Amino acid sequence: MMTALLLFWPALAGILVLLIKGKGAKTVAFVAALVEFAFALFAVSGFDTLSAHAQFALNLPWIESAGIRFSIGMDGISLLMVLLTTFLIPLIVLSSFKHEYRSPNVFYALILFMQTGLIGVFVALDAFLFYFFWEVALIPVYFIAAIWGGANRVPVTFKFFVYTIFGSLFMLAAFVYLYFQTPGSHSSDVNTFYQLPLDAATQSWIFWFLFVAFAIKMPVFPFHTWQPDTYTESPPQASMLLAGIMLKMGIYGVIRWLLPVVPLGVSQWDELVLILAIIGIVYGSVIAIRQHDLKRLIAYSSFAHVGLIAAGIFTLNEQGLQGGVIQMLSHGINVVGLFFIIDIIFSRTQTREINNLGGITQTTPALSIFFMILMLGSIALPLTNGFVGEFLLLSGVFQYNNWFGGIAGLTIILGAVYMLRMFQGVMFGTKTANTDNFTDLTLNEKAVLIPLVIMVFWIGLFPNTFLSISEPAVGNLLNIINR
Amino acid sequence: MTSIILLSVFGIANLFIGFLKSKRILLPLALLFLVVVFGVNLIGWNNTQTYFNNMLTIDNYAVAFTGIMTLSTLLILPFSQHYLQEDDQNLAEFYSLLLFALVGAIMMVSYENMLMLFVGIEILSIAMYILAGSDKRSLRSNEAALKYFLMGAFFTGILLFGIVLIYGATGTFNVTEIGTTQAMNDGVMNTMFVLGLLLVVIGISFKISAAPFHFWTPDVYEGTPTLFTSFMSTVVKTAGVAAFYKLMVAAFAASYATWFPTLIAITVLTLVVGNIGAVVQRSAKRMLAYSSISHAGYLLMSLIAFNERSDSSILFYSFAYSIATVAAFGVMKLVSDQRGDETFEGFAGLGKTNPLLAFAMTVSMCSLAGIPLTAGFFGKFFVFAAVVEASGLMWLVVVAVLMAAVGIYYYFKVVVAMYMHPAGNYEKVQVNSFTTFMLMLISALTILLGIAPALVSDLI
C-alpha cells in the first residue's frame, strides 16, 4: 500500500494544483512534494534492509486475460531511487520560486505528474507497467522543456522527444518478445523474465533492443547527441529533472531489466559497452573543457559521469554495481545543485558565458562555499559524495580490465580540470560589468542548497547508510546474473 | 439482423422527416436511431444466428464490430452541426446516406456468403460516393467524388471478378464451404482459384486504402467534406479490415501460404508509404489521410499474424484509431474553417486560445502516435503482440517500430504548433458547448481505454 501511496500521491496532488489559479500553485506543489518525501522516509523506516526482495509489494490484476499485472514493490535499489526522487523534487520546486512562470498551475502540475512517472519506473515489477511509466515520465518533462524553455527550444526538445521514444519502442518490442517466451498463459512479471531460458543468439539481439532504449536515456556515447542542446535550452527545473532524476531511469533500467534478463547477451557485448562508455567519459570531459556556456559545460560533465556509471555497472561485480547505485544518488544531488547555482548566476547577470563572469566571490561568501562544495563533490574529492561512488566504480572497472580502469580514471583528472577552470572563471578574478552588483544568496536559495550540501557530506562520510540498503538487492541481482 | 433492418427503416424514415420545415430535429433523431441500433445489436451477443439460407451470420465477431462502428458513427454525427448548413436542402439525405452506409458496413462484418460481402461493400461505397461529392459547389469535392467513384467502381469490378473465379474453382459462394473445400484438398489449388484469391485481396486492399492501391486516398480525403472523411477513415476502414480478416479466416485459412507473401508485401509497403508520405505533408488534412493509410498497415499486421490474438487486436486497434481520428478531424475542421489555414500552422497557439480543443487534439495525436496512457498505445501493443506470437515475423515488428517512430514525428508537429508557436493574429476558435462536451468525452474514452484496455480487448 505504501508503494501505491508513493506512486499516486503526486498525480493526485498534480490534479489539485492544476485547479489552483495564480500563485498558490507553487506553494501547494511544494507542500505536496514535501508530504511525498515524508512518505518516502516513512517507507525507509519500515524497510527491512536485510532482505533482497521487493517490499511494500502490491499485485493487482490489470489486463487479466493477458496475464499483465499491476505489480509494484521496492527492493533496496528501488528504495534508494525513490528516496532520491522524493528528496530532489521538493528542492526543484523550491528552486523555481524565484521565477515567475506563466501558467504556474500547469508548470507545477506537470512536475508532479512527472514524479508519478518516475516513481512508477522505479517501483514497477511488471515489464509493461515499467514501459508504461517510462513513457508517462517523458511526456510532462517534454512539455516543461518545450513550453518554458529557451529561444531554440522547439526543435531541440522535439529531437529529444522523438529520439527517446524511438529508443523505447525497441524496448517495447523486446518486452513483447520476452513476454511470449514465458511459459503457460504468459506473464510479464520481472521474476518470470529473470528465469527465461533463452539461447545466446536470441539474448544477443534482445540485448541491443533493450540497450538502445536505456543508452539513449542515459545517454551513452554515441546516443548522446540530444543531450547538451536539450539541457541548455530547457528551463532550469527541467534540466534538473532530466539530469538529476530522469537519466537515472536509464541506468536503473539497465540494472533491473537488462543485466538479469539477458545475462548471456551481456556477456557477449559487455566489452563493447565498456569501450563506448569509456569513450564517452574521455570525450565528454574533453569537450567540457572547451565549453564557455556554463549549462553546456555541466551537460557534458554529466555525460562523462554517466559514462563512468555505465562502465561500472557493466563490469558485473559488486563494487561496480554498488558504486553505480551510490553514484546515481551523488550525481543527482550534485548536478541539481550545480544547475541551481547556474540558475542563480544567470538570473542575476543574464549570462552563462564564463568569459562574461568573474569576481563573484568578493561579495558572496555563502554562494562561494556552497558552489565549491558541490563542485568538489562533482570532482570526487575524498569526504564528498562523489568520491565514494567514483572510487567504487573505478575499482570495479579495474577488476574488469586494468587498461579500461586506467583510461576511465582520467575522469577524475579531466573532471578537476574543467570544474576548476569553470570555478576559477566564474568566481575568481576581477569583476565584470555583469557581476558588478552581484548579491549573495537569499533565504530561499539557501533553503535549497543547504539540504543538498548536507547530503554531499552525508554520503561522503557515511556511505554505509545508503550502501547497506542496496547491498542485499545488488547481491541478489548478481546471483541471478551469474547463475 | 434486427440492426440492419432497423437502420434501413430509420434511414428511409429520416428521408421523409426531411420534408418537415424545421431541420433541427434531424440530428437528435439520427442520434436516437443509432442509440436504439446500438442497444438492439447487443441482443445478438452470445447468441449466434444465421439468416437467409446462410447468407448472414450474426456472431460475437459481428456484434462487436457492429457495436464499435455504430459507436463511431454516434461520435461522428454531433460534429455535423459544424459541417452542414441548417438551411441545406439535402440535410436529411446526408443523414440517411450515413445510416445506409452503416447498413453496408454491418453486412460486411456479418456476411457468410461472398455475395453478401459484395452487396455490403456496394451499399457502403455508393453512399460514400455521393457523400464525397456532397459539397456540390466545391470543385475539390466534385473531383473527390469522381475519383472515388471511378477508382472504386474499377476495384469493385476486380473484387467481383475474383469472387466469380473462386466460385468457378470451388462451386460455392459460402465462405465456410470454400474453407472446407480448401482444407479437404489440403491447400492444393488450381490457377483459377489462386487468381481469384489474388483479385479479391486486391479489391479489398483498395477499400482499406492499403498501398499500392492507395493513390486515391489523399485526394479523396482532402476533397470530401470533413464529416464524411472522418466516417470514411473510421467506419469504412474498420468494416473493410474486419471483412478482410473474416474472409481470410473462414475461406482462405488453408491457403495461408499462397496469400501470405502478397499480403506481407502490401503490409510493409502500406506502413512505409503511409508514414513517409505523411511526413512531407504540409496540410494537416492530407497528413491525416496518409496517417489513415499507415494505420491500415498496422491493422494488416495483425491480420497477417493470423492467430487467436488477431481478431481482438483488430477490434481494439480499429476502435482506438476510430475515436482518435474522429476527434482529430473534428478539431481540424473547426480550426481550418475559422482560421482559413489547412496547414499545421493553422493550429498555432491553439493551446492558448482554446485549451480544451488543444487538449482533445493532443490526446488524439498521442493516441494515434501510440503513446502510453492513451488507447492507441494498447492498440499498437496488441498488434505487436499478435505479430510477435506468430513466429518468424520479428523483422516486421522492427519495421513497424521504425515507422511508429516516424509517426510520432508528424503527429507531434501538430502538438508543437498548438503549444509552442505563438497564436499571432489568430483568434479564439468559436465552438459550442455540445461539441466541446463530445470532444472531452472522446478524450476521456481514449484515456480510459489507455488505462483499462480490457474493456474492449477482452470482448472477443
Side-chain angles (χ1 to χ4, degrees), chain A residues 33 38 42 87 96 138 142 181 198-199 206 218 248 256 270 280 294 311 329 334 348 382 385 428 433-434 446:
Chain A
F42 186 69
F87 171 70
S96 70
L138 173 68
Y142 165 67
Q181 306 307 309
L198 298 172
D199 61 66
I206 291 186
M218 286 200 253
K248 275 66 181 187
R256 173 86 59 210
D270 57 345
L294 288 175
L329 302 184
N334 294 340
R348 286 175 204 189
N385 57 357
F428 295 124
N434 296 80
K446 280 182 188 157

Short mmCIF file of all heavy atoms in Angstrom, two decimals, chain A residues 33 38 42 87 96 138 142 181 198-199 206 218 248 256 270 280 294 311 329 334 348 382 385 428 433-434 446:
data_model
loop_
_atom_site.label_atom_id
_atom_site.label_comp_id
_atom_site.label_asym_id
_atom_site.label_seq_id
_atom_site.Cartn_x
_atom_site.Cartn_y
_atom_site.Cartn_z
N ALA A 33 4.97 17.95 -2.44
CA ALA A 33 6.23 17.24 -2.66
C ALA A 33 6.89 16.89 -1.33
O ALA A 33 7.50 15.83 -1.18
CB ALA A 33 7.16 18.08 -3.53
N ALA A 38 8.00 12.82 2.99
CA ALA A 38 7.71 12.23 4.30
C ALA A 38 7.25 10.78 4.14
O ALA A 38 7.67 9.89 4.89
CB ALA A 38 6.64 13.05 5.01
N PHE A 42 9.02 7.51 5.68
CA PHE A 42 8.24 6.53 6.43
C PHE A 42 8.50 5.13 5.87
O PHE A 42 8.66 4.16 6.61
CB PHE A 42 6.77 6.90 6.34
CG PHE A 42 5.90 6.03 7.21
CD1 PHE A 42 5.96 6.13 8.59
CD2 PHE A 42 5.03 5.13 6.64
CE1 PHE A 42 5.17 5.34 9.39
CE2 PHE A 42 4.23 4.33 7.44
CZ PHE A 42 4.31 4.42 8.81
N PHE A 87 13.39 13.24 -2.59
CA PHE A 87 14.23 14.26 -1.96
C PHE A 87 14.44 15.45 -2.90
O PHE A 87 14.41 16.60 -2.47
CB PHE A 87 15.58 13.63 -1.57
CG PHE A 87 16.61 14.62 -1.09
CD1 PHE A 87 16.49 15.26 0.12
CD2 PHE A 87 17.72 14.91 -1.88
CE1 PHE A 87 17.45 16.17 0.56
CE2 PHE A 87 18.68 15.81 -1.45
CZ PHE A 87 18.53 16.45 -0.23
N SER A 96 12.39 26.88 -8.00
CA SER A 96 11.71 27.64 -9.05
C SER A 96 10.99 28.87 -8.50
O SER A 96 10.43 29.65 -9.25
CB SER A 96 10.69 26.75 -9.75
OG SER A 96 9.63 26.49 -8.85
N LEU A 138 8.12 10.76 -19.45
CA LEU A 138 8.71 11.58 -20.50
C LEU A 138 7.82 12.74 -20.91
O LEU A 138 8.31 13.86 -21.14
CB LEU A 138 9.00 10.69 -21.72
CG LEU A 138 9.47 11.43 -22.98
CD1 LEU A 138 10.84 12.01 -22.75
CD2 LEU A 138 9.47 10.50 -24.17
N TYR A 142 8.83 16.74 -21.34
CA TYR A 142 8.89 17.29 -22.70
C TYR A 142 8.14 18.61 -22.77
O TYR A 142 8.61 19.59 -23.32
CB TYR A 142 8.33 16.29 -23.72
CG TYR A 142 8.02 16.91 -25.05
CD1 TYR A 142 9.05 17.38 -25.86
CD2 TYR A 142 6.71 17.08 -25.48
CE1 TYR A 142 8.77 17.97 -27.07
CE2 TYR A 142 6.43 17.67 -26.69
CZ TYR A 142 7.45 18.12 -27.49
OH TYR A 142 7.18 18.73 -28.68
N GLN A 181 7.84 -15.60 -24.63
CA GLN A 181 8.70 -16.73 -24.31
C GLN A 181 8.37 -17.30 -22.94
O GLN A 181 8.85 -18.37 -22.58
CB GLN A 181 10.18 -16.33 -24.34
CG GLN A 181 10.61 -15.68 -25.64
CD GLN A 181 10.25 -16.52 -26.84
OE1 GLN A 181 10.55 -17.68 -26.90
NE2 GLN A 181 9.55 -15.90 -27.81
N LEU A 198 16.64 -18.48 -22.39
CA LEU A 198 16.82 -18.10 -23.79
C LEU A 198 18.23 -18.48 -24.25
O LEU A 198 19.17 -18.43 -23.48
CB LEU A 198 16.66 -16.59 -23.94
CG LEU A 198 15.30 -16.01 -23.56
CD1 LEU A 198 15.36 -14.50 -23.57
CD2 LEU A 198 14.24 -16.49 -24.52
N ASP A 199 18.35 -18.81 -25.54
CA ASP A 199 19.69 -19.16 -26.02
C ASP A 199 20.48 -17.88 -26.30
O ASP A 199 19.93 -16.78 -26.37
CB ASP A 199 19.60 -20.05 -27.26
CG ASP A 199 18.88 -19.37 -28.39
OD1 ASP A 199 19.41 -18.38 -28.90
OD2 ASP A 199 17.77 -19.82 -28.74
N ILE A 206 18.21 -9.29 -28.32
CA ILE A 206 17.34 -8.63 -27.33
C ILE A 206 18.15 -7.62 -26.53
O ILE A 206 17.67 -6.54 -26.19
CB ILE A 206 16.70 -9.66 -26.40
CG1 ILE A 206 15.70 -10.47 -27.19
CG2 ILE A 206 16.00 -8.98 -25.24
CD1 ILE A 206 14.91 -11.42 -26.37
N MET A 218 20.33 7.52 -21.01
CA MET A 218 21.37 7.84 -20.00
C MET A 218 22.11 9.15 -20.24
O MET A 218 22.23 9.91 -19.28
CB MET A 218 22.36 6.69 -19.94
CG MET A 218 21.80 5.49 -19.25
SD MET A 218 23.13 4.45 -18.72
CE MET A 218 23.04 3.09 -19.82
N LYS A 248 18.67 8.70 -14.51
CA LYS A 248 18.76 7.51 -13.65
C LYS A 248 17.80 6.43 -14.09
O LYS A 248 18.01 5.25 -13.80
CB LYS A 248 18.48 7.89 -12.19
CG LYS A 248 19.67 8.40 -11.41
CD LYS A 248 20.15 9.68 -11.94
CE LYS A 248 21.35 10.24 -11.24
NZ LYS A 248 21.62 11.60 -11.76
N ARG A 256 17.87 -3.29 -13.67
CA ARG A 256 16.71 -4.13 -13.37
C ARG A 256 16.25 -4.95 -14.57
O ARG A 256 15.81 -6.08 -14.40
CB ARG A 256 15.56 -3.25 -12.88
CG ARG A 256 14.23 -3.93 -12.68
CD ARG A 256 14.07 -4.58 -11.33
NE ARG A 256 14.19 -3.62 -10.26
CZ ARG A 256 14.66 -3.91 -9.05
NH1 ARG A 256 15.02 -5.14 -8.76
NH2 ARG A 256 14.77 -2.97 -8.13
N ASP A 270 29.50 -6.94 -23.29
CA ASP A 270 29.87 -6.03 -22.22
C ASP A 270 31.14 -5.26 -22.55
O ASP A 270 31.27 -4.08 -22.22
CB ASP A 270 30.01 -6.78 -20.88
CG ASP A 270 31.02 -7.91 -20.96
OD1 ASP A 270 31.38 -8.29 -22.08
OD2 ASP A 270 31.44 -8.40 -19.90
N GLY A 280 32.91 7.73 -23.99
CA GLY A 280 32.05 8.81 -23.53
C GLY A 280 32.69 9.61 -22.40
O GLY A 280 32.60 10.84 -22.38
N LEU A 294 28.02 27.81 -19.29
CA LEU A 294 28.03 27.00 -18.07
C LEU A 294 27.13 25.78 -18.16
O LEU A 294 27.48 24.69 -17.74
CB LEU A 294 27.59 27.87 -16.89
CG LEU A 294 28.58 28.92 -16.41
CD1 LEU A 294 27.95 29.78 -15.33
CD2 LEU A 294 29.82 28.25 -15.87
N ALA A 311 29.93 2.24 -17.26
CA ALA A 311 31.07 1.34 -17.30
C ALA A 311 31.09 0.47 -16.05
O ALA A 311 31.26 -0.75 -16.12
CB ALA A 311 32.36 2.13 -17.41
N LEU A 329 22.92 8.45 -6.79
CA LEU A 329 22.46 9.41 -5.77
C LEU A 329 23.34 10.65 -5.80
O LEU A 329 22.86 11.79 -5.86
CB LEU A 329 22.52 8.79 -4.38
CG LEU A 329 21.74 7.52 -4.12
CD1 LEU A 329 21.86 7.12 -2.66
CD2 LEU A 329 20.29 7.70 -4.47
N ASN A 334 24.52 16.39 -6.89
CA ASN A 334 25.46 17.39 -7.36
C ASN A 334 24.96 18.14 -8.58
O ASN A 334 25.09 19.36 -8.68
CB ASN A 334 26.80 16.72 -7.72
CG ASN A 334 27.48 16.16 -6.50
OD1 ASN A 334 27.17 16.56 -5.37
ND2 ASN A 334 28.38 15.22 -6.69
N ARG A 348 20.89 36.63 -12.07
CA ARG A 348 21.43 37.93 -11.62
C ARG A 348 22.24 38.63 -12.69
O ARG A 348 22.37 39.85 -12.67
CB ARG A 348 22.31 37.72 -10.41
CG ARG A 348 21.42 37.44 -9.22
CD ARG A 348 22.14 37.09 -7.99
NE ARG A 348 21.14 36.34 -7.22
CZ ARG A 348 21.26 35.96 -6.00
NH1 ARG A 348 22.36 36.22 -5.34
NH2 ARG A 348 20.30 35.32 -5.40
N PRO A 382 37.89 13.30 -1.77
CA PRO A 382 37.54 12.50 -0.59
C PRO A 382 36.74 13.31 0.43
O PRO A 382 36.91 14.53 0.51
CB PRO A 382 38.91 12.10 -0.04
CG PRO A 382 39.80 12.10 -1.21
CD PRO A 382 39.30 13.18 -2.11
N ASN A 385 30.54 13.19 -1.56
CA ASN A 385 29.78 12.05 -2.07
C ASN A 385 30.38 11.48 -3.35
O ASN A 385 30.35 10.28 -3.57
CB ASN A 385 28.31 12.43 -2.27
CG ASN A 385 28.13 13.61 -3.19
OD1 ASN A 385 29.12 14.20 -3.67
ND2 ASN A 385 26.91 13.98 -3.44
N PHE A 428 36.38 33.66 -9.38
CA PHE A 428 37.56 34.46 -9.03
C PHE A 428 37.82 35.51 -10.10
O PHE A 428 37.02 35.72 -11.00
CB PHE A 428 38.79 33.55 -8.88
CG PHE A 428 38.67 32.60 -7.71
CD1 PHE A 428 38.79 31.23 -7.88
CD2 PHE A 428 38.41 33.09 -6.44
CE1 PHE A 428 38.67 30.37 -6.81
CE2 PHE A 428 38.30 32.22 -5.36
CZ PHE A 428 38.43 30.86 -5.55
N ALA A 433 31.34 43.69 -15.95
CA ALA A 433 30.14 44.53 -15.96
C ALA A 433 28.92 43.74 -15.49
O ALA A 433 28.05 44.26 -14.80
CB ALA A 433 29.91 45.07 -17.37
N ASN A 434 28.89 42.45 -15.84
CA ASN A 434 27.73 41.65 -15.48
C ASN A 434 27.67 41.34 -13.99
O ASN A 434 26.59 41.22 -13.41
CB ASN A 434 27.74 40.32 -16.23
CG ASN A 434 27.63 40.51 -17.72
OD1 ASN A 434 28.62 40.82 -18.38
ND2 ASN A 434 26.43 40.37 -18.25
N LYS A 446 19.19 29.55 -0.10
CA LYS A 446 19.89 28.75 0.93
C LYS A 446 19.08 27.52 1.28
O LYS A 446 19.64 26.43 1.48
CB LYS A 446 20.12 29.60 2.18
CG LYS A 446 21.30 30.54 2.05
CD LYS A 446 21.50 31.30 3.35
CE LYS A 446 22.55 32.37 3.16
NZ LYS A 446 22.41 33.44 4.14
#
